[in-house]
Amino acid sequence: MSLPGRAWQGVAVALLLQLHLLCTVAYAYHDGDYIHASRKSQFHQRRTNWQDLLGQHCPRFGMDRLVALPVPQPQLPFVETDSYKLQLSFNGDRLLTQWLPVIGQDAPDIPLVHVRLRRSGDEVLGVAAEVVDAPAHYKDLHPLLATELKNVTHWPKHVLLRYEWITENDVDLDRGLYVLFAIGIAAVLLLMLNALRGMHAKLAQFLQEVTSDDQLGPGGVAVWKGSAKGD
Ligand SMILES: *[C@@H]1O[C@H](CO)[C@@H](O)[C@H](O)[C@H]1NC(C)=O
C-alpha cells in the first residue's frame, strides 16, 4: 500500500508545480502593458509621500518611450541654489531608483532622466537610472521645457524621462520553461510507472502466494493474510 500512496502524492506535487508555472506565465507582462510607477520628491531635506504616475508618464513593457513628467511646485520657496530630487519606483514598488537631482544646483541644464529597465521573457528584472544633460536635439524639440526650467517662478516644470528596455536572455528563459515542463511531465510519467510497477509486484506476489496456497491447502491462506497485514 505504501508505495502507490507515496507515488500519488508525488503525482499531486508534480501537477501543482505545473499549475504554478502556468499561473506564473498567466500573470506576466505583455508588450505594451503599462508598468505601475510612482515618484517621491525631495526638497529642502523634506520628502513627499509616494505619488502614482499617470498612465501617460508610466513605462510600457518592452516599449522605449520619452515622456515629460510634470514636477509640482514645492511648498517652500525655490531659489536657484536649491536642489530638487526625484525618486522613482516601478512594478508595484519592487524596483527603486536612487535620488535623482533634476532641478537646481546638482542637476544639468536641461535634465533627462535615463531609465533603463531590464526584462527577461515576460518579467521586469531591474531598473537603473541616471540624470544626464539632454542631447541637443531634445532641447531643440522641447524649447518650452527649457524656458520653464530656467524660470524660477514657473510651475509645474517638466522633466524628460526616457524609458529604455534592455532584453536579457529571452530565449534561454523560454527554453528553461520548456525544460521545466518536460521534467514535470517526465516526473509524472515516472511516478505513474512506479505506481504501476508496485501494483504489478503486489499482484505477482499475490498470485504466487495464491498458487502456492492451492498446493498448501487452508493453512497457506493464513500465511498470506499475515504477510498482507505486515506490509
Ligand atoms: C516666468 O513664469 C511666470 C509664470 O508662468 C510668468 O508669469 C513669467 O512671465 C515668466 N518669466 C519669464 C521671464 O518668462
Side-chain angles (χ1 to χ4, degrees):
M1 277 308 281
S2 63
L3 183 65
R6 215 180 295 150
W8 285 116
Q9 263 177 21
V11 170
V13 167
L15 285 175
L16 277 176
L17 193 81
Q18 303 265 302
L19 206 69
H20 169 75
L21 275 175
L22 282 174
C23 289
T24 311
V25 171
Y27 280 101
Y29 286 109
H30 300 288
D31 279 356
D33 281 356
Y34 288 93
I35 310 290
H36 176 263
S38 40
R39 60 111 181 271
K40 234 175 173 178
S41 312
Q42 180 185 297
F43 179 71
H44 273 338
Q45 312 305 320
R46 285 204 197 166
R47 290 173 181 183
T48 66
N49 292 322
W50 287 109
Q51 293 157 325
D52 288 348
L53 263 55
L54 294 177
Q56 57 184 334
H57 303 129
C58 286
R60 299 183 67 174
F61 193 75
M63 285 171 68
D64 291 350
R65 60 188 315 224
L66 178 74
V67 302
L69 181 71
V71 176
Q73 181 170 18
Q75 302 291 317
L76 298 158
F78 189 84
V79 291
E80 268 173 275
T81 50
D82 280 328
S83 186
Y84 191 105
K85 292 177 184 175
L86 281 182
Q87 187 179 30
L88 300 169
S89 89
F90 300 101
N91 200 14
D93 294 345
R94 272 181 283 263
L95 306 170
L96 283 181
T97 69
Q98 75 277 29
W99 284 98
L100 305 154
V102 289
I103 305 170
Q105 214 171 24
D106 305 329
D109 230 12
I110 312 290
L112 172 75
V113 182
H114 195 170
V115 182
R116 288 184 183 85
L117 293 144
R118 286 185 298 115
R119 69 159 179 169
S120 182
D122 303 330
E123 281 180 83
V124 187
L125 297 179
V127 67
E130 60 172 338
V131 185
V132 296
D133 194 18
H137 64 277
Y138 282 2
K139 291 179 189 172
D140 296 342
L141 274 173
H142 310 276
L144 207 69
L145 215 105
T147 47
E148 271 182 17
L149 281 164
K150 281 186 193 124
N151 185 342
V152 174
T153 55
H154 183 94
W155 293 94
K157 300 182 193 302
H158 288 80
V159 170
L160 289 173
L161 300 184
R162 192 161 101 80
Y163 297 119
E164 189 191 350
W165 287 89
I166 296 155
T167 306
E168 283 181 3
N169 50 28
D170 214 359
V171 180
D172 283 356
L173 187 87
D174 280 353
R175 205 178 292 156
L177 273 181
Y178 282 127
V179 167
L180 270 179
F181 271 112
I183 289 172
I185 287 164
V188 168
L189 285 178
L190 209 78
L191 287 166
M192 286 174 113
L193 211 73
N194 256 348
L196 279 178
R197 204 179 290 158
M199 281 189 233
H200 263 295
K202 283 228 179 296
L203 199 66
Q205 194 188 351
F206 172 74
L207 283 176
Q208 198 184 4
E209 275 162 356
V210 165
T211 3
S212 50
D213 287 349
D214 281 349
Q215 290 158 356
L216 284 171
V221 177
V223 171
W224 171 67
K225 272 180 184 164
S227 84
K229 236 181 259 171
D231 206 18

